[in-house]
Amino acid sequence: MRSKILICIFLSIFALSLIAIDFPARLVQSSNSGWTLAADNPLPPTSTVKLCFIHHSCGYNWLETGNGNLGAALNANNYYVTETYYGWDAEPGDNLGDHTDTSDWPLWFNDTKMPYVYANNSHYAYSNAIPDPGGENQIIMFKSCFPCSEVGSSIDDEKTIYNNLLPYFAAHQDKLFVLITPPGETEVSSWQLTRELCDWLVDPNSGWLAGYPGKNVFVFDFYCVLSEINSHHRWNIDHVEHVFAADYDGISPYHDGDDHPNAIGNQKATAEYLPLLNIAYNRWMAATGPSIDYLEASYGDIGDNVIVHGNNFGSSQGTSYVTFGEQQATHYTSWSNRQIVCEVPAGISGAVPVTVTTDEGTSNHDCFIQDSSPQTSFYFAEGCTRDGFHEYLTLLNSNSSPVQTNITLMFSDKSSQALPMELGARTRTTINVNAVAGGGKDVSIMVDADAPIVAERPMYFNYGGWTGGHDVVGAPAPQTSFFFAEGCTHPGFEEWLCLQNPYATPTTAHVTFMYKDGSTYGPLDVPVGATSRATVNVNKEVGGGKDVSIMVDADAPIVAERPMYFNYGGWTGGHDVVGAPAPQTSFFFAEGYTGYGFQEYLSLFNPYAQEAHLYLTYIGNLGNILQQEITLEATTRKTIHVNSAAGSGRTVSIRVLSNRPIVVERPMYFNYGGWTGGHDVVGYTP
């Protein structure tokens, strides 16, 4: 047991250390006590961006569904695709689309031709599955075909051509330009020089873009990716990796009888390109519009000062502003290009997004939790004193003086019971809820103290032969919304939803159930009487055999918990969580184990009408890292079996990052030396 505890402590410390090497938005420790985000972020744009791809036959194949699948991948990452191809005209009859050799690029990148590219709406290889967002193309991808991979006896002329494009790019930083290096022929005779050219184009320190002042030019080395199986240009955990295989000899394995790359090579390139395109887009956007790195304090109360760190806020406020949820801040202490100090406005509660809006647009968001900490109130929706259940309330007063506490027990018959109590200075107090409330009760609890304390509610049970226990810290405040990612009504599982209304006025909770196929059931209207507890039998409501996530919206603030009891292949037990108050874009789990006798899962929940793109990173105790990219469809619950994804026999921490707010829980089931059970948590959100 001691070794297991040490593992958990190590993983907890290690998971916190991940913040210093974060993926995909790397975090580095700053000189203050906070953390600052670096620029590289491979998550897709949150709204659709229009893109034009200048290409010939290799680009056609790369885009085509069933070949390279690039078009579908671009759409899945919120890029709407337009194209130029053979026969495309900028000005009538100029046939510019036929001319895409390296030597032809000066014909394109000038103020005569490029306005036609920006306005282009032509399609050749791919028909978009997402709507046209309108307006001009914001990203210009351009690529020469495979004959240009032969560079002859010198690359000086190619370097001159590329260098001569930079003044145009510098004058048009409202557009993002992405050079795709020409793919290699089956065998490239000039392969050593071609590799040298590609290295020069990509190298940010001494290559093509080393002295370039903008962030609106990026290079993807298509040639490198297709040169060998172990050659890559990709996002690798926390950095951009550009490497040619040691055995590269000018002969590519990705051809099937002609010089066009085959589908296997094109699909490899698609997988490596999309995260890099997202990085390029996010770098470009961070260089032009406002962006938030972090809030120095991510929770506080109305009227508190919050320091917002980031970039491109402007040297003075002018008409710019900070928004908390739907409320604009009105009191500002200071405003500079990289830091804003403002007061939390009235009218917010719980977790809200914070954004900065300037004349250049609205930033990404960070999360602020309105909380009058330190905490003096705790709420517990679940509680049971029926046969086979033993419930306790544990209270910690770490203050140097006694604390007066009012405890209210609320029952399903709408009655309540008051229990005033003084907690001695620096003491732990335990209340046997069965003894106080009597047996046979479903009970919720509200704890109010006149000074900060901590309250937990451990429960132990023998539920029809299923033995175990669970424990939670109380919710800090009632809310109108709660979200639960985990949920299961398969054979051997019983799921419940407990709702507590601590107030004197009845309310109604509207409960929506969402399944793995994207279908939903509800909302189910559940009356919750004044100062009372209501219970929903989820198995009865949705039927058996379901993996189900839950969204609760109430007409007035309540508290929601979701206890579950199970027989998991002979391992009996139960677990319980208080619902997440709001979806978030990042979740961290320090604990995790896939060794013998342990089964670990991730439950992923997207409650919204747009799909989310997720990056999962599994971190082992020896620094070994695995990564996984998945799409979480709209209104969908998805389950990841961590034993399968990360491998068996591992101690593993997990980080989940998403381009849209989601909810993530990590249930685990175990037989630890004959002790069976399970536990579940909502991920930590910074």
Side-chain angles (χ1 to χ4, degrees):
M1 176 62 78
R2 184 172 179 269
S3 64
K4 180 67 174 175
I5 293 170
L6 290 174
I7 289 170
C8 293
I9 292 171
F10 168 77
L11 287 176
S12 299
I13 296 170
F14 188 66
L16 289 176
S17 74
L18 289 177
I19 298 177
I21 55 168
D22 204 4
F23 166 74
R26 186 174 56 191
L27 294 160
V28 295
Q29 192 167 14
S30 66
S31 58
N32 57 36
S33 60
W35 299 90
T36 179
L37 277 163
D40 284 345
N41 175 5
L43 295 174
T46 56
S47 57
T48 306
V49 178
K50 201 165 181 178
L51 172 154
C52 181
F53 186 11
I54 302 169
H55 67 80
H56 278 175
S57 54
C58 290
Y60 189 104
N61 294 343
W62 191 19
L63 280 171
E64 193 174 29
T65 300
N67 194 318
N69 300 326
L70 176 63
L74 287 167
N75 276 189
N77 280 260
N78 275 338
Y79 299 104
Y80 180 89
V81 184
T82 71
E83 307 164 60
T84 74
Y85 190 56
Y86 291 110
W88 183 85
D89 288 343
E91 297 177 292
D94 67 6
N95 212 25
L96 186 62
D98 284 10
H99 305 287
T100 62
D101 288 349
T102 304
S103 59
D104 292 326
W105 293 131
L107 301 176
W108 289 77
F109 292 104
N110 56 69
D111 288 328
T112 300
K113 302 297 185 180
M114 285 308 293
Y116 296 98
V117 178
Y118 300 148
N120 177 52
N121 280 301
S122 299
H123 305 281
Y124 296 92
Y126 182 71
S127 297
N128 289 275
I130 61 176
D132 184 343
E136 291 188 338
N137 293 298
Q138 300 300 309
I139 302 174
I140 309 301
M141 289 170 51
F142 59 105
K143 184 191 71 62
S144 299
C145 209
F146 59 78
C148 294
S149 65
E150 292 282 6
V151 297
S153 60
S154 171
I155 58 173
D156 289 345
D157 50 349
E158 282 85 358
K159 286 186 174 182
T160 298
I161 292 168
Y162 287 125
N163 282 331
N164 287 339
L165 300 180
L166 293 180
Y168 179 84
F169 297 155
H172 296 83
Q173 295 193 37
D174 59 328
K175 304 294 183 184
L176 174 61
F177 300 94
V178 181
L179 167 64
I180 311 295
T181 60
E185 298 172 326
T186 305
E187 183 171 359
V188 179
S189 60
S190 65
W191 65 273
Q192 292 167 310
L193 281 173
T194 305
R195 172 179 176 172
E196 182 181 336
L197 176 63
C198 290
D199 285 340
W200 175 78
L201 285 168
V202 172
D203 185 355
N205 298 314
S206 59
W208 181 39
L209 300 175
Y212 183 71
K215 298 291 186 182
N216 67 320
V217 183
F218 188 80
V219 179
F220 175 65
D221 197 351
F222 198 29
Y223 178 90
C224 171
V225 171
L226 299 178
S227 64
E228 284 288 353
I229 293 173
N230 292 322
S231 295
H232 300 288
H233 192 196
R234 62 184 178 181
W235 179 246
N236 188 358
I237 309 302
D238 64 348
H239 66 282
V240 175
E241 178 186 34
H242 179 249
V243 57
F244 279 87
D247 58 349
Y248 174 53
D249 57 2
I251 302 174
S252 168
Y254 296 111
H255 295 273
D256 293 330
D258 71 33
D259 287 326
H260 293 84
N262 63 21
I264 295 172
N266 284 332
Q267 289 170 25
K268 175 190 177 186
T270 296
E272 298 200 3
Y273 175 55
L274 261 300
L276 296 185
L277 176 61
N278 294 336
I279 286 171
Y281 176 80
N282 289 322
R283 286 179 182 175
W284 174 53
M285 290 302 294
T288 56
S291 63
I292 294 176
D293 288 343
Y294 67 98
L295 306 183
E296 194 155 307
S298 60
Y299 66 89
D301 205 2
I302 292 166
D304 290 350
N305 276 340
V306 170
I307 303 176
V308 184
H309 294 266
N311 289 286
N312 302 318
F313 298 150
S315 58
S316 60
Q317 181 182 357
T319 58
S320 303
Y321 55 88
V322 178
T323 303
F324 290 73
E326 297 181 354
Q327 304 297 321
Q328 285 187 23
T330 56
H331 296 92
Y332 297 85
T333 302
S334 64
W335 189 294
S336 68
N337 192 52
R338 300 203 62 183
Q339 179 177 294
I340 302 166
V341 181
C342 64
E343 189 176 290
V344 179
I348 68 167
S349 64
V352 296
V354 177
T355 58
V356 176
T357 299
T358 71
D359 290 341
E360 301 301 322
T362 298
S363 71
N364 58 307
H365 79 267
D366 203 346
C367 183
F368 180 84
I369 300 175
Q370 187 274 321
D371 179 13
S372 55
S373 295
Q375 196 169 326
T376 59
S377 297
F378 295 84
Y379 298 82
F380 302 90
E382 162 67 333
C384 183
T385 65
R386 296 174 185 267
D387 289 345
F389 284 82
H390 285 272
E391 178 181 356
Y392 296 87
L393 183 66
T394 57
L395 306 166
L396 168 63
N397 175 18
S398 61
N399 300 290
S400 58
S401 58
V403 171
Q404 302 302 315
T405 305
N406 292 312
I407 301 168
T408 305
L409 309 181
M410 303 175 185
F411 305 109
S412 55
D413 63 1
K414 303 181 183 179
S415 64
S416 61
Q417 179 180 347
L419 183 66
M421 178 175 293
E422 181 177 276
L423 306 181
R426 296 194 177 109
T427 60
R428 140 80 183 264
T429 301
T430 303
I431 298 172
N432 183 334
V433 178
N434 290 55
V436 173
K441 301 285 180 58
D442 294 327
V443 56
S444 295
I445 300 175
M446 176 175 67
V447 179
D448 277 321
D450 65 1
I453 63 169
V454 179
E456 295 184 47
R457 188 215 57 232
M459 289 178 60
Y460 307 94
F461 56 83
N462 183 332
Y463 181 66
W466 301 352
T467 60
H470 51 68
D471 176 51
V472 295
V473 175
Q479 302 228 148
T480 55
S481 297
F482 288 90
F483 299 81
F484 300 91
E486 166 64 342
C488 181
T489 66
H490 288 283
F493 283 80
E494 289 194 16
E495 179 179 356
W496 305 84
L497 182 65
C498 302
L499 307 172
Q500 176 191 15
N501 176 11
Y503 299 119
T505 303
T507 190
T508 300
H510 311 284
V511 182
T512 302
F513 304 92
M514 302 186 186
Y515 307 120
K516 63 182 180 181
D517 63 359
S519 62
T520 65
Y521 165 63
L524 172 70
D525 295 335
V526 182
V528 189
T531 61
S532 71
R533 140 87 179 263
T535 306
V536 177
N537 183 333
V538 178
N539 291 55
K540 181 178 178 181
E541 289 298 333
V542 306
K546 298 286 201 321
D547 293 323
V548 57
S549 295
I550 298 174
M551 178 174 66
V552 179
D553 281 315
D555 295 338
I558 61 170
V559 179
E561 288 185 53
R562 188 216 56 238
M564 291 177 58
Y565 302 95
F566 56 81
N567 183 332
Y568 180 82
W571 303 350
T572 67
H575 51 66
D576 176 52
V577 297
V578 177
Q584 303 287 344
T585 56
S586 61
F587 293 86
F588 297 81
F589 300 90
E591 162 66 336
Y593 188 58
T594 63
Y596 177 77
F598 286 79
Q599 293 291 324
E600 179 178 356
Y601 296 88
L602 279 182
S603 300
L604 311 169
F605 176 31
N606 177 7
Y608 298 121
Q610 294 176 304
E611 67 182 19
H613 298 275
L614 280 58
Y615 289 82
L616 282 63
T617 306
Y618 305 93
I619 304 99
N621 60 317
L622 299 178
N624 48 313
I625 295 177
L626 298 171
Q627 62 189 67
Q628 182 180 16
E629 179 181 354
I630 65 172
T631 297
L632 186 57
E633 291 77 11
T635 63
T636 295
R637 145 75 183 271
K638 183 169 287 189
T639 305
I640 303 293
H641 184 211
V642 178
N643 295 54
S644 299
S648 60
R650 297 177 182 271
T651 53
V652 59
S653 295
I654 302 174
R655 176 183 47 214
V656 180
L657 298 176
S658 173
N659 71 322
R660 297 185 186 279
I662 60 169
V663 180
V664 186
E665 296 181 43
R666 188 217 56 229
M668 290 179 63
Y669 305 93
F670 58 83
N671 183 336
Y672 183 72
W675 299 348
T676 68
H679 51 72
D680 178 44
V681 294
V682 179
Y684 168 74
T685 57

